[in-house]
């Protein structure tokens, strides 16, 4: 009998994972090169602070950074939830009604094509100064990717299943809940993962022009007063918020669609 392994074995293929060692070494190496370059070229801190100086500022001003982070994170979360609810509801209507799509979709594309920063002064006039403007900016930044992925996912339902549910007398709501929505979940989750990292960006840009609080306001004030290490500290905190939201979306995806091929193929070791 041959000792060659059978090609029909049911044992799952295990893909070795690199763990976190290589990414960690890459980050530490980049920070070390940054530190050495600043010291070798004797760059002033108002031009490019060293990582050690940024970390020192973060340690000294951590209570203030944490307070501003809470304000920015609240605007990002509220705006993202609003965009998610509206995108899924509107996507369901567009997928269900071609006539509705022809009427509304062109307007959505036009609105998405307008540069977001251009409308910032108008939002300040229309909505006012404060948290509301930041939330609206988050909605504007995060809405369209989720809408497009929702429509695409709802339209990807198996036609045979749709015919089967109709033959069994299912109404539009039952078809949406039992067939279209489950088949659309992978696409919806992809849109969520794209949009959720844009939520902190939208909040920060909103704070640039229409807020006296938050990491965006802190960043623009620090740059204006040439406190560049503080500005870098704010950027680092915003980046950490973006990374955290990404991994939160991945966690939700694993819970929502554990049956999908993308999750079964993901190495866990």
């Amino acid at each position: 009998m041959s000792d060659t392994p059978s090609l029909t074995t049911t044992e799952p293929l295990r893909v070795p994972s690199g763990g976190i060692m290589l990414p960690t070494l890459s980050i530490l190496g980049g920070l070390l090169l940054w530190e050495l370059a600043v010291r070798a070229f004797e760059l002033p801190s108002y031009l490019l602070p060293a990582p050690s100086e940024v970390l020192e500022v973060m340690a000294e001003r951590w209570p203030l950074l944490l307070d501003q982070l809470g304000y920015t994170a609240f605007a990002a979360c509220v705006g993202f939830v609003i965009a998610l609810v509206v995108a899924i509801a509107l996507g369901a209507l567009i997928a269900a009604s071609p006539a509705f799509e022809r009427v509304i979709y062109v307007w959505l594309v036009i609105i998405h094509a307008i540069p977001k920063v251009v409308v910032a002064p108008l939002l300040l006039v229309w909505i006012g100064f404060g948290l509301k403007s930041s939330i609206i900016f988050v909605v504007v930044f995060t809405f369209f990717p989720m809408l497009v992925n929702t429509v695409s996912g709802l339209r990807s339902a198996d036609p045979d299943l749709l015919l089967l549910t109709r033959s069994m007398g299912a109404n539009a709501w039952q078809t949406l809940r039992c067939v279209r929505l489950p088949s659309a979940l992978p696409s919806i989750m992809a849109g969520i993962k794209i949009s959720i990292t844009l939520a902190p960006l939208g909040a920060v840009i909103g704070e640039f022009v229409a807020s006296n609080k938050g990491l965006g306001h802190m960043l623009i004030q620090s740059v204006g007063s040439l406190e560049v290490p503080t500005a870098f500290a704010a950027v680092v905190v915003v980046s950490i918020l973006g990374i955290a939201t990404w991994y939160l979306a991945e966690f939700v995806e694993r819970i929502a669609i554990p049956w999908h091929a993308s999750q079964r193929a993901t190495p866990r070791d």
Side-chain angles (χ1 to χ4, degrees), residues 144-157:
F144 201 77
M146 289 190 288
L147 174 67
V148 171
N149 280 271
T150 298
V151 173
S152 176
L154 291 173
R155 287 177 172 169
S156 67

Side-chain angles (χ1 to χ4, degrees), residues 77-130:
C77 290
V78 173
F80 177 78
V81 171
I82 293 173
L84 175 62
V85 172
V86 175
I88 291 178
L90 196 58
L93 289 174
I94 290 173
S97 173
F100 181 77
E101 177 189 7
R102 286 192 291 270
V103 171
I104 197 68
Y105 207 74
V106 63
W107 287 104
L108 295 173
V109 173
I110 291 172
I111 293 172
H112 180 66
I114 298 174
K116 310 301 184 293
V117 179
V118 172
V119 300
L122 295 176
L123 288 178
L124 181 59
V125 174
W126 294 336
I127 302 170
F129 197 82

Side-chain angles (χ1 to χ4, degrees), residues 171-191:
N171 56 35
W173 165 247
Q174 290 171 328
T175 302
L176 174 66
R177 181 172 56 88
C178 298
V179 178
R180 290 189 181 275
L181 191 57
S183 67
L185 276 178
S187 182
I188 293 173
M189 288 305 307

Side-chain angles (χ1 to χ4, degrees), residues 8-9 28 33 43 57 63 92 94 98 102 108 123 150 158 163 201 243 251 255 258 265:
T8 59
T9 178
L28 292 177
L33 289 175
L43 297 175
V57 170
I94 290 173
R102 286 192 291 270
L108 295 173
L123 288 178
T150 298
D158 189 342
L163 288 174
L201 174 62
I243 293 170
F251 175 73
I255 295 175

Side-chain angles (χ1 to χ4, degrees), residues 203-228:
V204 166
I205 292 179
E207 290 162 359
F208 280 168
V209 295
S211 180
N212 58 359
K213 194 174 181 181
L215 290 170
H217 177 72
M218 184 178 183
L219 176 59
I220 206 74
Q221 270 199 331
S222 301
V223 171
S225 58
L226 292 181
E227 296 179 4
V228 178

